[in-house]
């Protein structure tokens, strides 16, 4: 046992001094390595949440430690006024490995999406007579700033923090008619997650996304992919747009790109390099520490072909889930790569999550009947077997 910490005291202090924003379990995480996390009581958890689809290389990978140590001894921040070395190298790495030529760096997914929304509006101002409307999907998730909450198609948020940022319309995903009807002369962009993550893991259909690409070409509006959750190997391709044989005009990345370090990017084509000085920026945009971590993470993912592992282990998880599906009435096993979900026969998602936590397994329930899995991309079949064993035990007890 680990006696360095008094967990009760820490929890008491947390209750006293942490602003309430979420119901958290009565434990305190202390350290992590690879696929596992440990709390202050020394209890170990097998992590199939992965810091919320963030720790792409698992917990505390050596490449992050090394990048942080080396860069923090060299240059932490030169101010956003100047180019810095890792900023240039990282932008090259991303543009060399994607269909984009230009990158803007930020720290969070919402911030990258804000940049994308601003770029789409700039495009509307410059080329579409001031068009500013952006069409997004119902059940989508784009972040928690005011504009990205307005972009988000979440029923629960409709009346929250009014007045919303104007100019967002929501249409059902995979419904071509609905989106055609929603486009007006005021529309400047369509914004979509290639696989809805927070909404419960629902992928766009290939035909639908291809028709969106054609629609955008025809109307000269921008196709914006929010790949904050799907990007950097998560779906078994480096970027999810590669599944569909089309290219978006703008793509945002966050979560997995920093392997746990707060880092985000907005990428676009050369022809949309249209911001004027001062339109967009941020004190921490392109700060060297984040740049060197992001570069180390993305290099490792590409060089070690970890995207392939995500694809293969994703298939293995689906295979294992399918093998227990009949026994527990699990349905709709879905998703791509290591962004997966399934439905329980009853709305007991939070009970399943809590019992798994108790037995040392971290999973997520984005809706009462959905279970979502998003483990680090380095997961192996041994850990998948361990996950299935714990999950089966929990399901057997809760669904009996
Ligand atoms: C998590 C997420 C965001 C928000 O990212 P933050 O880093 O939490 O601001 C935006 N879009 C999608 C698709 C996400 O999954």
């Amino acid at each position: 046992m680990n006696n360095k910490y008094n967990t009760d005291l820490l929890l008491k202090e947390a209750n006293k001094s942490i602003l309430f924003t979420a119901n958290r379990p009565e434990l305190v995480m202390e350290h992590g390595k690879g696929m596992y996390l440990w709390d202050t009581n020394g209890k170990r958890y097998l992590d199939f949440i992965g810091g919320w689809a963030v720790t792409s290389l698992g917990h505390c990978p050596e490449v992050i430690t090394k990048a942080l140590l080396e860069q923090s001894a060299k240059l932490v921040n030169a101010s956003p006024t100047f180019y810095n070395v890792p900023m240039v190298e990282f932008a090259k790495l991303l543009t060399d490995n994607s269909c984009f030529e230009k990158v803007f760096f930020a720290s969070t997914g919402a911030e990258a999406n804000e940049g994308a929304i601003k770029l789409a509006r700039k495009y509307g101002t410059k080329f579409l007579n001031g068009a500013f409307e952006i069409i997004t999907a119902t059940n989508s998730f784009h972040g928690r700033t005011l504009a990205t909450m307005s972009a988000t198609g979440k029923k629960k948020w409709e009346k929250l923090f009014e007045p919303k940022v104007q100019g967002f319309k929501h249409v059902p995903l995979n419904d071509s008619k609905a989106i055609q009807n929603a486009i007006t002369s005021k529309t400047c962009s369509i914004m979509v997650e290639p696989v809805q993550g927070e909404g419960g893991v629902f992928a766009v259909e290939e035909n639908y996304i291809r028709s969106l690409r054609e629609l955008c070409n025809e109307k000269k509006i921008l196709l914006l992919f929010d790949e904050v959750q799907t990007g950097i190997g998560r779906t078994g391709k480096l970027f999810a747009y590669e599944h569909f044989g089309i290219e978006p005009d703008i793509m945002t990345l966050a979560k997995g790109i920093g392997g746990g370090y707060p880092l985000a990017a907005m990428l676009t084509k050369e022809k949309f390099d249209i911001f004027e000085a001062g339109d967009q920026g941020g004190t921490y945009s392109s700060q060297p520490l984040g740049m060197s971590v992001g570069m180390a993470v993305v290099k490792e993912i590409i060089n070690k072909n970890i995207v392939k592992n995500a694809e293969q282990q994703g298939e293995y998880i689906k295979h294992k889930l399918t093998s227990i599906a009949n026994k527990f009435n699990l349905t709709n096993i879905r998703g791509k790569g290591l962004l997966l979900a399934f439905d329980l026969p009853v709305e007991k998602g939070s009970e399943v999550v809590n019992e798994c936590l108790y037995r040392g397994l971290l999973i997520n329930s984005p809706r009462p009947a959905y279970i979502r899995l998003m483990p680090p991309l380095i997961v192996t079949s041994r850990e998948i077997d361990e996950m299935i064993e714990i999950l089966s035990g929990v399901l057997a007890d809760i669904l009996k």
Side-chain angles (χ1 to χ4, degrees), residues 108-111 113 141-144 193 198 226 228-229 254-255:
T108 68
E111 199 190 349
N113 282 341
F141 183 84
H142 297 294
R144 290 173 197 278
E193 296 160 90
E198 297 312 297
D226 177 347
V228 165
Q229 188 154 158
K255 294 205 165 88

Side-chain angles (χ1 to χ4, degrees), residues 52-54 107-113 140-145 148 152 191-198 226-230 252-255 262-264 372:
W52 224 265
V54 156
S107 304
T108 68
E111 199 190 349
N113 282 341
S140 62
F141 183 84
H142 297 294
R144 290 173 197 278
T145 59
T148 56
T152 293
M191 179 175 187
V192 68
E193 296 160 90
V195 183
Q196 290 187 340
E198 297 312 297
D226 177 347
E227 293 224 28
V228 165
Q229 188 154 158
T230 57
T252 53
L253 301 171
K255 294 205 165 88
L263 184 62
R372 177 172 55 159

Side-chain angles (χ1 to χ4, degrees), residues 173-380:
L173 193 70
N174 293 326
D175 184 340
S176 297
K177 269 259 141 31
I179 208 155
Q180 273 167 21
N181 291 336
I183 292 180
T184 69
S185 59
K186 291 204 180 75
T187 310
C188 68
S189 174
I190 295 170
M191 179 175 187
V192 68
E193 296 160 90
V195 183
Q196 290 187 340
E198 297 312 297
V201 187
F202 295 102
V204 292
E205 285 162 11
E206 184 164 340
N207 281 343
Y208 176 73
I209 204 69
R210 282 168 171 274
S211 77
L212 287 194
R213 180 65 274 177
E214 277 167 29
L215 199 59
C216 287
N217 291 349
E218 185 192 317
K219 306 273 182 192
K220 300 206 161 24
I221 61 178
L222 302 185
L223 183 59
L224 198 173
F225 268 23
D226 177 347
E227 293 224 28
V228 165
Q229 188 154 158
T230 57
I232 313 291
R234 174 59 50 188
T235 68
K237 302 265 188 204
L238 192 55
F239 305 108
Y241 74 78
E242 295 170 31
H243 288 287
F244 308 106
I246 56 131
E247 294 179 359
D249 301 306
I250 305 175
M251 173 175 76
T252 53
L253 301 171
K255 294 205 165 88
I257 195 175
Y261 189 94
L263 184 62
M266 177 197 48
L267 292 89
T268 191
K269 306 272 189 177
E270 174 129 49
K271 60 185 167 191
F272 305 122
D273 190 353
I274 54 173
F275 278 138
E276 283 151 69
D279 281 356
Q280 178 62 347
T283 307
Y284 293 127
S285 176
S286 312
Q287 46 93 9
L289 209 54
M291 296 295 99
S292 64
V293 171
M295 192 157 55
V297 168
V298 176
K299 257 192 189 160
E300 180 85 351
I301 287 174
I302 292 173
N303 293 346
K304 298 248 169 91
N305 206 2
I306 287 169
V307 182
K308 188 86 196 156
N309 188 63
E311 186 199 349
Q312 289 170 342
Q313 301 302 345
E315 285 307 312
Y316 185 62
I317 294 177
K318 274 187 176 171
H319 163 77
K320 296 296 279 188
L321 286 173
T322 306
S323 74
I324 60 166
N326 268 346
K327 188 170 173 198
F328 300 116
N329 289 316
L330 310 179
T331 50
N332 291 327
I333 297 167
R334 60 187 179 273
K336 288 182 191 297
L338 290 172
L339 181 54
L340 299 166
F342 58 89
D343 294 355
L344 298 169
V346 284
E347 300 202 334
K348 289 192 171 179
S350 54
E351 261 179 73
V352 171
V353 165
N354 289 339
E355 188 56 29
C356 282
L357 177 77
Y358 183 70
R359 299 187 196 183
L361 169 66
L362 307 182
I363 57 170
N364 167 242
S365 174
R367 295 283 188 280
Y370 301 169
I371 297 294
R372 177 172 55 159
L373 306 171
M374 42 194 175
L377 309 183
I378 53 149
V379 69
T380 66

Side-chain angles (χ1 to χ4, degrees), residues 91-126:
K92 176 172 164 47
L93 182 68
L94 291 176
T95 54
D96 281 353
N97 286 283
S98 71
C99 66
F100 301 98
E101 291 98 33
K102 298 282 176 175
V103 190
F104 172 80
F105 290 109
S107 304
T108 68
E111 199 190 349
N113 282 341
E114 288 268 343
I117 290 164
K118 283 166 71 177
L119 186 61
R121 285 191 173 190
K122 185 82 186 181
Y123 174 82
T125 305
K126 276 186 87 139

